[in-house]
Amino acid sequence: MRAIRRFTVRTVLPAELAALGVLVHNLRWSWHPETTDLFQEVDPELWEQVGHDPVALLGAVAPERLRELAADRRFLRRLADAADDLREYMRASQWYQTVPDAARAIAYFSPEYGIAAALPQYSGGLGILAGDHLKAASDLGVPILAVGLLYRHGYFTQSLSPEGWQLEHYPSLDPGGLPLSLLKDADGAAVRMRIGLPEGRALHAQIWVAQVGRVPLLLLDSDVAENDSAARDVTDRLYGGGTDHRLMQELLLGVGGVRALRAYCEITGHPEPEVFHTNEGHAGFLGLERIRELTEARLTFDEALEAVRAGTVFTTHTPVPAGIDRFPADMIERQFGGDNAWPTVPVDRILALGAEEEPGRFNMAIMGMRLAQRVNGVSELHGEVSRGMFQTMWPGFDLGEVPIGSITNGVHAPTWVGREFMELAGREMPSLIERSRGWESVQKIPDAELWSIRGELRRRLVEGARERLRTSWRGRGASDAELGWIDDALDPGVLTIGFARRVPSYKRLTLMLSDPDRLRDLLLDPERPVQIVIAGKAHPADEGGKKLIQQIVKFADSEDVRHRIVFLPDYDMALGRLLVQGCDVWLNNPLRPLEASGTSGMKSALNGGLNLSIRDGWWDEWYDGTNGWAIPTADGVADPDRRDELEATGLYDLIEHEVADRFYDRADGLPRRWLEMVKHTLASLGPKVLAGRMLRDYVVGLYTPAAASARALSADAYGQARAFAAWKLRVTRAWPGVRVEHVESSGVGDTPEVGAALELRATIALGDLGPDDVLVEAAYGKVGAHDELLRPSHLVMTLEGGNGDDGRAHYTGTVPLDRTGAFGYTVRVVPSHPLAASRAELGLIAVPEEPAGMTNGTLR
C-alpha cells in the first residue's frame, strides 16, 4: 500500500543543542565548510547516507546520539563558536553599507533558485545563477528580498533505461523536511495570498521562507486546502504542464510574489523594496500588480506605469526567441478581463504591454522590457544579440542605441571552489579571500603544490563518478557481476575533460561524436589518453534532447571506450561541484551566438581548470589567447551539418595537438607549461568571474540608479510621475509635427581633409513642442556601401536663438573630420527629459526624409 500523505517529523533538539537548529535553517551552511564540518561531527556515517543534507541528518539522528552531543563539552564549544560566527555574519557591516544613496531594499524575482542540492528548486543555469546572486548579495550586505515558487516535485530526477533513454522521476518533497519555515502572522496563522481567476475561481498560496545567509527567500506554495485540484497543482513541478499551467505559475510568481513581499515586510518590519529586479520574463506580471496598487491609490494607469518603470530592472537570459514565454492574447484577456477584470487596470492596456509583431500573441519578455526602465543581457555578446532581437521595439534607432545593456554573469566562489583551493588562498593570499584582491600573487604558488591539489580534485571526481556509474548501471538492469570494469573506469592520472549542461540542441552535446573513430583515437591514445565525463538533462518534453543523450550513452557503453568516457545521470549541484572541481578542461561547444553567458567554465577556471570553448557568452568577452583555447567557429557556413563538421574538426585538432600535448609535457614530473596556463587563467579570470563583481556591477550600474529614479518619481505624492507621464503623452501626440526640414553645411571645400571641421546648421519644425522637449543631434562617421552610418558618433547641436513664431528652430554644430575614407552625417531629433533613462526610451525619432546637404564624401 502507498501512503496517502507524506510528511517529515522533525527531531526535538535538547536545549543545549538549540543553536544547531538555527544553523541548519540558515542556508549559509551551503557555502560555509566550517558549519558543515560541525554537521558531519553529529554522525559521520549518517552524514554520508543523507547526502550531506543537514535537515535530513537531524531528522534521522538517534536520540541517544543527541544526548551524547548535549553532554560533549568540546562539541558544545564548537557549536557555540559556529553560532557566534553566524550572528556576526548576519549583522556585520559589509561593502553595500558604504554605497552612497543605495536602495533600502531590492526585490529579486526568479522562477527557480539553485541554493543547495538539499533544496531542489532549480533546473539549470538560470536557477544556479539566481542562487549565486543571492549568496553574493548576502556576503556583500546587499539587502535583497527574493521571491520564487516552491515546487512540490522539484524539476525531476533522471535515470537511464537499458537502452540509454532518459527517464524522469518526480519524488515528492515535503516542506517540513526542507530548510524552510512557514510565514505566519502575529496570531500564529499561516499567511495566505489570493489571486482571482476567471469564472469566480481563485488561486491561493502560502509562503515558505528560506534564509540564505542575510537574504530571505520567499517561496509561494499553492498546495493548500482552499484551492481546487487544478489550483493546488500550480506549483507541482518546475517547467511542467501546458500553457494554462505555465500562465498560472507566472501569475502566482509575479502578482502573488508582490503580495507576499508586502505581507512579509508588514509582519517582519523589513524595508519595502525600492527596486524590483525581474530575472527573465517569467515574473513579468509583478509590474502589473504594482500598477494596480498605485492606480488604486489614485494614480492613472500612465502615471503608475512611469512610477513602476523607474524602479524596475529586467534581465533577459535567452538569445533565442523560442526561449521566451508567449501566450495567446485571448488567454491573457480572459485572465485580466470580464468578471475577473481589475477596475483600475484596463485589459487593453495590459495586452498592449505584451503585444509583439505577430498578432494575437502576448510576449512576456516584451512586457518585461516595457515595464522596466533598465534592461540588460548577461554578457557583452548577449547584450548585442538582445539588441538585435528586440530592435523593432525602438524603430529608427541604430542597433547600438537600443537601450539594452549587459552585465556579465559571475559565480559564487565559496560554493563552487574546492576546499583545498580556498584553504590555499586563505593561507597564501589572504587579501584574495578578504577583499577579492591580489590575484597576481597566484604566480607565487609552487607548481608542485598546485599540481597536488589538482590531482586530489581529479581523484575525487573519478571516485565519485565510479560510484554514480555503478548506481546507474544497476538501475539499467546490470548485475554486480557485470560491473567489475567500473573499478578501473576513468583514471586519476589522465587528462580529464568535463561537459555538463542542459541538453537543448544548440548546446550540441554530440558534437564530439561527429567523427567517432577520431574520438576513439583520442580516448585510447597509448601515450596521451583523454577521458571525458558528461552529464546533462533534457527537458521532459524535448524528444530531440533525449535522443542526443541516448547517442552519447550508446557510444559510452561501448566496451572499448567505456573506461574513458562516461555519462553520469541526474546532473545536480552536487555532481556539478564534483565536475567543475575535478576536470582539467571544461568543454563548451554551443552554436554561436546562442549561449547567453554560461557559467560552468567560470567555476572550472576558479578550480584551476582550463576552458576549451566556442567563443560565445562570457568566453567571447574574456578569452585572451593564453587562458585556454577557443574552438574555431564556422559562422559563415549556412549548412548546419557542414558547420558542425568543421567545428568538430577544430575541436579534435585542439585536443590532440595543443591540449593533450601541453598536459603530458612533463619536467621533473610536473607539466610546467600547463601550470603556467593555469596560473595565468586564475590571475586573469579570477577577478572577473566572481559573483561579487557581478553584484557590484548590478548595484552601481542598475540598482542604485533605479532607486534614484524611483525616489524621484514618487516624490511629492508621485507628483513627478504625474508630470513625467503627462510630458510623455504630450510629446507622443505632438511628434508627427516634428521634422528635420533643412540641413546645410559649410567650412570645407570640394576636397575635405582630415583635421578640418564641418559647420552644420539645421532647421527643425517642432510643431507643438518646445526646444526643452527635444535633443537635436548630428550623427556622423564612417558610411557603408549604401550610405548607412556605421557606429556613428553623436554631437548635440546648439539652439540658435529662441524658438520662432512659426514653430521652427535653428540648431548649429561643428563636426570634426577626424578620420579618412568614406564619411557621412545626418541630423536627428529625439525627445529629451531628465527623467528618461535613454534617448530611445519613447521609441521616437525624427530624421531627414531625404539626405540634405553633404551626406557623404571621402576625406583625404
Side-chain angles (χ1 to χ4, degrees), residues 14 25 29 37 59 183 218 234 280 306 335 378 427 437 444 481 487 490 543 670 731 749 854:
H25 282 86
W29 57 257
D37 287 347
L183 182 64
L218 312 183
V234 165
E280 199 43 90
E306 296 310 323
Q335 172 60 40
V378 290
R427 185 174 65 251
R437 296 175 184 170
K444 300 176 183 177
D487 294 336
L490 307 179
E543 296 296 305
L670 296 173
V731 169
M854 188 189 75

Side-chain angles (χ1 to χ4, degrees), residues 6 87 96 234 263 315 340 343 348 388 402 573 609 655 659 707 730:
R6 172 180 175 157
R87 278 191 294 272
Y96 189 82
V234 165
T315 299
N340 197 48
D348 62 316
V402 171
M573 288 186 71
I655 293 174
V659 180
R730 179 171 61 85

Side-chain angles (χ1 to χ4, degrees), residues 274-295:
E274 292 184 285
V275 175
F276 286 73
H277 185 174
T278 309
N279 197 27
E280 199 43 90
H282 311 288
F285 291 125
L286 73 86
L288 299 185
E289 171 63 9
R290 295 177 60 214
I291 288 173
R292 183 197 63 80
E293 292 177 331
L294 292 172
T295 54

Side-chain angles (χ1 to χ4, degrees), residues 60-116:
V61 67
E64 54 270 23
R65 175 56 180 162
L66 292 176
R67 287 194 291 270
E68 287 178 14
L69 292 172
D72 184 337
R73 285 187 291 179
R74 176 182 163 278
F75 181 84
L76 293 178
R77 282 196 300 272
R78 290 192 63 196
L79 176 58
D81 289 344
D84 287 344
D85 181 77
L86 178 61
R87 278 191 294 272
E88 177 61 23
Y89 173 84
M90 294 291 285
R91 65 190 180 203
S93 181
Q94 300 292 353
W95 168 80
Y96 189 82
Q97 283 65 55
T98 68
V99 177
D101 301 319
R104 291 189 298 273
I106 300 115
Y108 181 87
F109 284 66
S110 177
E112 53 175 299
Y113 290 91
I115 308 295

Side-chain angles (χ1 to χ4, degrees), residues 96 160 166 271 275 277 297 304 315-316 388 394 617 627 632 682 739 743 763:
Y96 189 82
L160 299 174
Q166 172 180 293
V275 175
H277 185 174
T315 299
T316 174
W394 294 274
N627 56 3
L682 286 166
R739 297 184 308 278
V743 180
T763 301

